[in-house]
Amino acid sequence: METITHLSQAHDAIIHALNAGTSPGGLPAAQLLERETLTLYFYEPRGIDHQPPHDQDEVYVIVAGSGSFAIGNDDSSLRRFSFSRGDAIFVPAGAVHRFEDFTDDFATWVIMYGPQGGEKPTRTTPAPQQH
């Protein structure tokens, strides 16, 4: 895999991945690097962010744009906060999350890393209750 050195190359990589059917989950993203458990993507959703929860921990580094980010254990527990260019957002493995109300120029690096399920448990399963 070649090294991407300019954002225009990352934009082109997304178009190529979508046209070739190799974009992850059909999302507007391109994988740019993979090494051991670390994978680097460039992601540019338009309109609505349709990504599902992921099996690894991840970090977003916002390249352009602004909006709102929602995160929680499920859709009923989502917390929202604003983001803009230069922000970094950590998402633990398994968390429901998405970008919302983002600007047309929104783009982000996505860094996924670590073992399946995340480096540390994000929640514990309650013990069965006796009746």
Side-chain angles (χ1 to χ4, degrees):
M1 188 168 289
E2 73 180 67
T3 302
I4 302 295
T5 57
H6 299 285
L7 287 181
S8 63
Q9 290 175 300
H11 297 289
D12 291 345
I14 289 174
I15 292 168
H16 177 76
L18 287 168
N19 289 336
T22 60
S23 63
L27 295 171
Q31 180 180 324
L32 305 176
L33 172 74
E34 185 173 21
R35 182 169 175 94
E36 301 295 329
T37 68
L38 183 138
T39 309
L40 174 67
Y41 297 93
F42 190 74
Y43 184 46
E44 287 184 313
R46 294 297 177 247
I48 297 174
D49 178 15
H50 292 288
Q51 64 178 306
H54 307 292
D55 294 334
Q56 289 180 286
D57 290 335
E58 65 185 316
V59 173
Y60 293 99
V61 179
I62 309 303
V63 174
S66 61
S68 178
F69 189 75
I71 185 169
N73 292 329
D74 54 45
D75 282 329
S76 67
S77 69
L78 293 176
R79 299 175 318 275
R80 290 172 171 80
F81 59 92
S82 298
F83 70 85
S84 61
R85 181 176 184 231
D87 287 345
I89 303 168
F90 171 76
V91 177
V96 172
H97 63 287
R98 62 181 163 262
F99 293 96
E100 299 176 332
D101 302 320
F102 46 87
T103 56
D104 291 340
D105 64 340
F106 173 60
T108 186
W109 296 110
V110 183
I111 304 159
M112 300 185 81
Y113 66 94
Q116 298 289 315
E119 288 191 337
K120 295 181 182 178
T122 57
R123 352 180 223 299
T124 58
T125 304
Q129 294 186 2
Q130 300 283 329
H131 288 74

